[in-house]
Amino acid sequence: MTDTTPLAPQTSEPLQFVTDLLEDIGHPRPDLRTLTDPHEAARLIAEETRSRITAVLDKFGGTPVVLLSGGVDSIYVAAVAVALGAKPIAVTILTEGRSHEQNAAAATAALGLRHDLIRLTPQEVSQLSRDTMRRLGTSELWEVTAGIPILAARRSIDKITELGAILNGSGADAIFGGGKRLTHPVASLDATDELDRIIRTESAANFRYDRLVPHFYPALLDEYADRLVHVFQTVRWWQIAERFAPPALLECVTA
């Protein structure tokens, strides 16, 4: 059985809590994963990314920012924004011993973007961790670790007089199974079941408001929180991604 449900309208909302908006997305539906062609998957991803970022840029105007970690997702978001005619400022947070600095620098140079590199000393990381814990009201390691670079990015964001959208690529790994390894042959039904379960479990847990710190982004970004755009965290993106079978997802990056 295939899904004939119409796609949700494109949205310019910064993010949507998909788990809260749709019926149990954690319930297995491997039968929906019928798209196996990596070329078609790549085409759909490109088309949807352009549509989503266009809607966001049109809504916010001003000077956009891309939180550029140096990973594939944030670089892709920056590249699409540039292809659409925008000139976002790329902001990269660097800490000792953990960095994609070379990737980030190469990407911004190729795209012709201003690149704000914020290098954090151990002392600055310690201070930011204390500030993050105070703002979030928790010392939970994952929350604090995720909060530090967002809080540090304000050093650049605070200086932009006509700030537009703050773009980031979070959520892509969840809906596309990024970085996941399957224990079954990619083209098998077992692989489809396995990937569907992995994606739905992670997305159902994360794409909801009622988490350990529901006010995570407002606590860290204050008046900027409503400008932080999770490009891939929408109902429409979810509906598209849940149609992709393992061959489409695991091979489209090299097709």
Side-chain angles (χ1 to χ4, degrees), residues 35-49 76 176 237 240-241 243-253 255:
L35 196 158
T36 58
D37 182 355
H39 297 284
E40 178 64 10
R43 184 191 68 79
L44 286 172
I45 289 170
E47 182 179 274
E48 181 62 18
T49 307
Y76 181 53
F176 298 133
W237 257 122
I240 291 172
R243 300 176 181 180
F244 294 166
L249 288 176
L250 301 181
E251 295 178 22
C252 71
V253 294

mmCIF file of all heavy atoms in Angstrom, residues 35-49 76 176 237 240-241 243-253 255:
data_model
loop_
_atom_site.group_PDB
_atom_site.id
_atom_site.type_symbol
_atom_site.label_atom_id
_atom_site.label_comp_id
_atom_site.label_asym_id
_atom_site.label_seq_id
_atom_site.Cartn_x
_atom_site.Cartn_y
_atom_site.Cartn_z
ATOM 1 N N LEU A 35 10.037 4.796 -2.708
ATOM 2 C CA LEU A 35 10.938 5.472 -3.644
ATOM 3 C C LEU A 35 12.351 4.909 -3.469
ATOM 4 O O LEU A 35 12.967 5.064 -2.406
ATOM 5 C CB LEU A 35 10.934 6.982 -3.399
ATOM 6 C CG LEU A 35 11.516 7.854 -4.527
ATOM 7 C CD1 LEU A 35 10.986 9.271 -4.420
ATOM 8 C CD2 LEU A 35 13.032 7.864 -4.520
ATOM 9 N N THR A 36 12.851 4.249 -4.500
ATOM 10 C CA THR A 36 14.162 3.605 -4.422
ATOM 11 C C THR A 36 15.217 4.250 -5.306
ATOM 12 O O THR A 36 16.404 3.961 -5.159
ATOM 13 C CB THR A 36 14.043 2.122 -4.833
ATOM 14 O OG1 THR A 36 13.519 2.040 -6.164
ATOM 15 C CG2 THR A 36 13.113 1.368 -3.876
ATOM 16 N N ASP A 37 14.822 5.124 -6.215
ATOM 17 C CA ASP A 37 15.749 5.722 -7.175
ATOM 18 C C ASP A 37 16.525 6.870 -6.515
ATOM 19 O O ASP A 37 15.932 7.891 -6.142
ATOM 20 C CB ASP A 37 14.967 6.240 -8.376
ATOM 21 C CG ASP A 37 15.864 6.834 -9.461
ATOM 22 O OD1 ASP A 37 17.091 6.937 -9.243
ATOM 23 O OD2 ASP A 37 15.333 7.214 -10.522
ATOM 24 N N PRO A 38 17.853 6.744 -6.366
ATOM 25 C CA PRO A 38 18.621 7.808 -5.703
ATOM 26 C C PRO A 38 18.613 9.121 -6.474
ATOM 27 O O PRO A 38 18.682 10.193 -5.877
ATOM 28 C CB PRO A 38 20.033 7.213 -5.621
ATOM 29 C CG PRO A 38 20.080 6.153 -6.655
ATOM 30 C CD PRO A 38 18.693 5.598 -6.742
ATOM 31 N N HIS A 39 18.520 9.045 -7.799
ATOM 32 C CA HIS A 39 18.476 10.277 -8.600
ATOM 33 C C HIS A 39 17.176 11.048 -8.339
ATOM 34 O O HIS A 39 17.182 12.271 -8.218
ATOM 35 C CB HIS A 39 18.604 9.943 -10.086
ATOM 36 C CG HIS A 39 19.902 9.299 -10.441
ATOM 37 N ND1 HIS A 39 21.073 10.003 -10.541
ATOM 38 C CD2 HIS A 39 20.205 7.996 -10.686
ATOM 39 C CE1 HIS A 39 22.058 9.177 -10.859
ATOM 40 N NE2 HIS A 39 21.557 7.950 -10.953
ATOM 41 N N GLU A 40 16.076 10.327 -8.255
ATOM 42 C CA GLU A 40 14.796 10.970 -7.959
ATOM 43 C C GLU A 40 14.791 11.528 -6.541
ATOM 44 O O GLU A 40 14.266 12.616 -6.290
ATOM 45 C CB GLU A 40 13.650 9.966 -8.151
ATOM 46 C CG GLU A 40 12.267 10.501 -7.824
ATOM 47 C CD GLU A 40 11.815 11.646 -8.719
ATOM 48 O OE1 GLU A 40 12.502 11.931 -9.738
ATOM 49 O OE2 GLU A 40 10.783 12.261 -8.414
ATOM 50 N N ALA A 41 15.394 10.780 -5.618
ATOM 51 C CA ALA A 41 15.483 11.271 -4.241
ATOM 52 C C ALA A 41 16.291 12.566 -4.185
ATOM 53 O O ALA A 41 15.893 13.535 -3.517
ATOM 54 C CB ALA A 41 16.119 10.213 -3.345
ATOM 55 N N ALA A 42 17.408 12.590 -4.878
ATOM 56 C CA ALA A 42 18.249 13.788 -4.895
ATOM 57 C C ALA A 42 17.497 14.970 -5.510
ATOM 58 O O ALA A 42 17.604 16.111 -5.028
ATOM 59 C CB ALA A 42 19.537 13.507 -5.669
ATOM 60 N N ARG A 43 16.735 14.704 -6.565
ATOM 61 C CA ARG A 43 15.962 15.770 -7.210
ATOM 62 C C ARG A 43 14.923 16.335 -6.247
ATOM 63 O O ARG A 43 14.753 17.557 -6.133
ATOM 64 C CB ARG A 43 15.267 15.241 -8.463
ATOM 65 C CG ARG A 43 14.526 16.316 -9.252
ATOM 66 C CD ARG A 43 13.628 15.733 -10.316
ATOM 67 N NE ARG A 43 12.504 15.001 -9.739
ATOM 68 C CZ ARG A 43 11.410 15.580 -9.250
ATOM 69 N NH1 ARG A 43 11.300 16.906 -9.236
ATOM 70 N NH2 ARG A 43 10.436 14.850 -8.756
ATOM 71 N N LEU A 44 14.213 15.448 -5.549
ATOM 72 C CA LEU A 44 13.183 15.895 -4.614
ATOM 73 C C LEU A 44 13.784 16.686 -3.452
ATOM 74 O O LEU A 44 13.224 17.702 -3.021
ATOM 75 C CB LEU A 44 12.402 14.693 -4.081
ATOM 76 C CG LEU A 44 11.424 14.036 -5.053
ATOM 77 C CD1 LEU A 44 10.868 12.750 -4.456
ATOM 78 C CD2 LEU A 44 10.290 14.993 -5.396
ATOM 79 N N ILE A 45 14.913 16.212 -2.947
ATOM 80 C CA ILE A 45 15.569 16.913 -1.843
ATOM 81 C C ILE A 45 16.004 18.308 -2.279
ATOM 82 O O ILE A 45 15.801 19.297 -1.564
ATOM 83 C CB ILE A 45 16.765 16.091 -1.325
ATOM 84 C CG1 ILE A 45 16.263 14.842 -0.591
ATOM 85 C CG2 ILE A 45 17.646 16.930 -0.403
ATOM 86 C CD1 ILE A 45 17.363 13.841 -0.252
ATOM 87 N N ALA A 46 16.592 18.406 -3.469
ATOM 88 C CA ALA A 46 17.035 19.713 -3.974
ATOM 89 C C ALA A 46 15.848 20.650 -4.173
ATOM 90 O O ALA A 46 15.881 21.832 -3.782
ATOM 91 C CB ALA A 46 17.800 19.525 -5.286
ATOM 92 N N GLU A 47 14.796 20.135 -4.775
ATOM 93 C CA GLU A 47 13.609 20.944 -5.050
ATOM 94 C C GLU A 47 12.959 21.438 -3.762
ATOM 95 O O GLU A 47 12.589 22.615 -3.638
ATOM 96 C CB GLU A 47 12.613 20.100 -5.849
ATOM 97 C CG GLU A 47 11.348 20.805 -6.269
ATOM 98 C CD GLU A 47 10.440 19.886 -7.067
ATOM 99 O OE1 GLU A 47 10.631 19.792 -8.295
ATOM 100 O OE2 GLU A 47 9.560 19.249 -6.460
ATOM 101 N N GLU A 48 12.833 20.551 -2.797
ATOM 102 C CA GLU A 48 12.187 20.926 -1.540
ATOM 103 C C GLU A 48 13.045 21.884 -0.731
ATOM 104 O O GLU A 48 12.530 22.811 -0.097
ATOM 105 C CB GLU A 48 11.869 19.680 -0.711
ATOM 106 C CG GLU A 48 11.168 19.959 0.607
ATOM 107 C CD GLU A 48 9.801 20.615 0.443
ATOM 108 O OE1 GLU A 48 9.234 20.559 -0.679
ATOM 109 O OE2 GLU A 48 9.298 21.190 1.427
ATOM 110 N N THR A 49 14.349 21.686 -0.738
ATOM 111 C CA THR A 49 15.230 22.597 0.000
ATOM 112 C C THR A 49 15.146 24.007 -0.559
ATOM 113 O O THR A 49 15.071 24.990 0.187
ATOM 114 C CB THR A 49 16.684 22.100 -0.046
ATOM 115 O OG1 THR A 49 16.753 20.746 0.398
ATOM 116 C CG2 THR A 49 17.567 22.950 0.862
ATOM 117 N N TYR A 76 25.222 22.451 2.802
ATOM 118 C CA TYR A 76 24.191 22.370 1.765
ATOM 119 C C TYR A 76 23.190 23.515 1.909
ATOM 120 O O TYR A 76 22.804 24.150 0.921
ATOM 121 C CB TYR A 76 23.483 21.026 1.850
ATOM 122 C CG TYR A 76 22.405 20.821 0.804
ATOM 123 C CD1 TYR A 76 22.678 21.005 -0.551
ATOM 124 C CD2 TYR A 76 21.113 20.455 1.174
ATOM 125 C CE1 TYR A 76 21.702 20.824 -1.514
ATOM 126 C CE2 TYR A 76 20.130 20.267 0.216
ATOM 127 C CZ TYR A 76 20.426 20.454 -1.121
ATOM 128 O OH TYR A 76 19.450 20.278 -2.072
ATOM 129 N N PHE A 176 16.490 11.549 7.363
ATOM 130 C CA PHE A 176 17.137 10.814 6.277
ATOM 131 C C PHE A 176 18.000 9.650 6.771
ATOM 132 O O PHE A 176 18.651 8.984 5.973
ATOM 133 C CB PHE A 176 18.010 11.749 5.438
ATOM 134 C CG PHE A 176 17.248 12.842 4.753
ATOM 135 C CD1 PHE A 176 17.690 14.154 4.808
ATOM 136 C CD2 PHE A 176 16.082 12.574 4.050
ATOM 137 C CE1 PHE A 176 16.997 15.177 4.176
ATOM 138 C CE2 PHE A 176 15.378 13.592 3.404
ATOM 139 C CZ PHE A 176 15.837 14.891 3.472
ATOM 140 N N TRP A 237 8.423 18.279 5.018
ATOM 141 C CA TRP A 237 9.662 17.536 4.856
ATOM 142 C C TRP A 237 9.494 16.100 5.346
ATOM 143 O O TRP A 237 9.985 15.151 4.729
ATOM 144 C CB TRP A 237 10.795 18.206 5.623
ATOM 145 C CG TRP A 237 11.746 18.990 4.785
ATOM 146 C CD1 TRP A 237 12.050 20.312 4.899
ATOM 147 C CD2 TRP A 237 12.555 18.510 3.703
ATOM 148 N NE1 TRP A 237 12.978 20.692 3.963
ATOM 149 C CE2 TRP A 237 13.303 19.598 3.220
ATOM 150 C CE3 TRP A 237 12.702 17.268 3.090
ATOM 151 C CZ2 TRP A 237 14.197 19.471 2.146
ATOM 152 C CZ3 TRP A 237 13.589 17.133 2.026
ATOM 153 C CH2 TRP A 237 14.322 18.224 1.568
ATOM 154 N N ILE A 240 7.664 13.956 2.842
ATOM 155 C CA ILE A 240 8.499 13.609 1.693
ATOM 156 C C ILE A 240 9.505 12.527 2.082
ATOM 157 O O ILE A 240 9.663 11.514 1.392
ATOM 158 C CB ILE A 240 9.225 14.855 1.153
ATOM 159 C CG1 ILE A 240 8.220 15.818 0.518
ATOM 160 C CG2 ILE A 240 10.310 14.467 0.145
ATOM 161 C CD1 ILE A 240 8.809 17.160 0.137
ATOM 162 N N ALA A 241 10.184 12.728 3.194
ATOM 163 C CA ALA A 241 11.266 11.832 3.585
ATOM 164 C C ALA A 241 10.788 10.435 3.935
ATOM 165 O O ALA A 241 11.524 9.458 3.735
ATOM 166 C CB ALA A 241 12.029 12.431 4.762
ATOM 167 N N ARG A 243 8.881 8.641 2.437
ATOM 168 C CA ARG A 243 8.662 7.857 1.224
ATOM 169 C C ARG A 243 9.955 7.243 0.682
ATOM 170 O O ARG A 243 9.933 6.450 -0.252
ATOM 171 C CB ARG A 243 8.022 8.738 0.141
ATOM 172 C CG ARG A 243 6.672 9.308 0.564
ATOM 173 C CD ARG A 243 6.120 10.251 -0.482
ATOM 174 N NE ARG A 243 4.832 10.803 -0.062
ATOM 175 C CZ ARG A 243 4.112 11.667 -0.774
ATOM 176 N NH1 ARG A 243 4.568 12.070 -1.952
ATOM 177 N NH2 ARG A 243 2.960 12.123 -0.328
ATOM 178 N N PHE A 244 11.091 7.641 1.252
ATOM 179 C CA PHE A 244 12.378 7.189 0.737
ATOM 180 C C PHE A 244 12.758 5.831 1.319
ATOM 181 O O PHE A 244 12.837 5.659 2.538
ATOM 182 C CB PHE A 244 13.490 8.189 1.078
ATOM 183 C CG PHE A 244 13.338 9.523 0.405
ATOM 184 C CD1 PHE A 244 14.091 10.601 0.834
ATOM 185 C CD2 PHE A 244 12.465 9.713 -0.649
ATOM 186 C CE1 PHE A 244 13.985 11.841 0.233
ATOM 187 C CE2 PHE A 244 12.331 10.952 -1.267
ATOM 188 C CZ PHE A 244 13.098 12.013 -0.830
ATOM 189 N N ALA A 245 13.044 4.877 0.449
ATOM 190 C CA ALA A 245 13.526 3.557 0.849
ATOM 191 C C ALA A 245 15.048 3.597 0.988
ATOM 192 O O ALA A 245 15.709 4.528 0.503
ATOM 193 C CB ALA A 245 13.107 2.518 -0.187
ATOM 194 N N PRO A 246 15.649 2.604 1.633
ATOM 195 C CA PRO A 246 17.111 2.616 1.831
ATOM 196 C C PRO A 246 17.941 2.848 0.577
ATOM 197 O O PRO A 246 18.897 3.646 0.636
ATOM 198 C CB PRO A 246 17.377 1.230 2.450
ATOM 199 C CG PRO A 246 16.129 0.922 3.196
ATOM 200 C CD PRO A 246 15.017 1.476 2.357
ATOM 201 N N PRO A 247 17.642 2.224 -0.570
ATOM 202 C CA PRO A 247 18.488 2.484 -1.754
ATOM 203 C C PRO A 247 18.517 3.960 -2.148
ATOM 204 O O PRO A 247 19.550 4.464 -2.606
ATOM 205 C CB PRO A 247 17.838 1.622 -2.842
ATOM 206 C CG PRO A 247 17.157 0.528 -2.101
ATOM 207 C CD PRO A 247 16.631 1.180 -0.850
ATOM 208 N N ALA A 248 17.401 4.658 -1.968
ATOM 209 C CA ALA A 248 17.352 6.075 -2.327
ATOM 210 C C ALA A 248 18.180 6.910 -1.370
ATOM 211 O O ALA A 248 18.931 7.804 -1.780
ATOM 212 C CB ALA A 248 15.914 6.562 -2.326
ATOM 213 N N LEU A 249 18.095 6.625 -0.087
ATOM 214 C CA LEU A 249 18.779 7.434 0.912
ATOM 215 C C LEU A 249 20.272 7.126 1.001
ATOM 216 O O LEU A 249 21.092 8.028 1.172
ATOM 217 C CB LEU A 249 18.144 7.218 2.286
ATOM 218 C CG LEU A 249 16.762 7.845 2.478
ATOM 219 C CD1 LEU A 249 16.216 7.478 3.854
ATOM 220 C CD2 LEU A 249 16.824 9.356 2.327
ATOM 221 N N LEU A 250 20.609 5.871 0.894
ATOM 222 C CA LEU A 250 22.003 5.474 1.120
ATOM 223 C C LEU A 250 22.856 5.575 -0.127
ATOM 224 O O LEU A 250 24.074 5.466 -0.056
ATOM 225 C CB LEU A 250 22.050 4.055 1.684
ATOM 226 C CG LEU A 250 21.299 3.872 3.006
ATOM 227 C CD1 LEU A 250 21.430 2.432 3.497
ATOM 228 C CD2 LEU A 250 21.805 4.831 4.068
ATOM 229 N N GLU A 251 22.235 5.788 -1.276
ATOM 230 C CA GLU A 251 23.000 5.866 -2.506
ATOM 231 C C GLU A 251 22.926 7.243 -3.168
ATOM 232 O O GLU A 251 23.752 7.554 -4.029
ATOM 233 C CB GLU A 251 22.517 4.812 -3.506
ATOM 234 C CG GLU A 251 22.771 3.397 -3.019
ATOM 235 C CD GLU A 251 22.235 2.358 -3.988
ATOM 236 O OE1 GLU A 251 22.055 2.702 -5.173
ATOM 237 O OE2 GLU A 251 21.989 1.226 -3.571
ATOM 238 N N CYS A 252 21.960 8.102 -2.774
ATOM 239 C CA CYS A 252 21.792 9.373 -3.489
ATOM 240 C C CYS A 252 22.973 10.311 -3.300
ATOM 241 O O CYS A 252 23.253 11.155 -4.149
ATOM 242 C CB CYS A 252 20.488 10.065 -3.077
ATOM 243 S SG CYS A 252 20.467 10.743 -1.418
ATOM 244 N N VAL A 253 23.730 10.139 -2.200
ATOM 245 C CA VAL A 253 24.862 11.034 -1.961
ATOM 246 C C VAL A 253 26.012 10.767 -2.915
ATOM 247 O O VAL A 253 26.876 11.609 -3.121
ATOM 248 C CB VAL A 253 25.367 10.922 -0.502
ATOM 249 C CG1 VAL A 253 24.330 11.435 0.453
ATOM 250 C CG2 VAL A 253 25.733 9.475 -0.168
ATOM 251 N N ALA A 255 25.300 9.305 -6.076
ATOM 252 C CA ALA A 255 24.745 9.134 -7.427
ATOM 253 C C ALA A 255 25.054 10.364 -8.289
ATOM 254 O O ALA A 255 25.217 11.447 -7.790
ATOM 255 C CB ALA A 255 23.245 8.936 -7.341
#
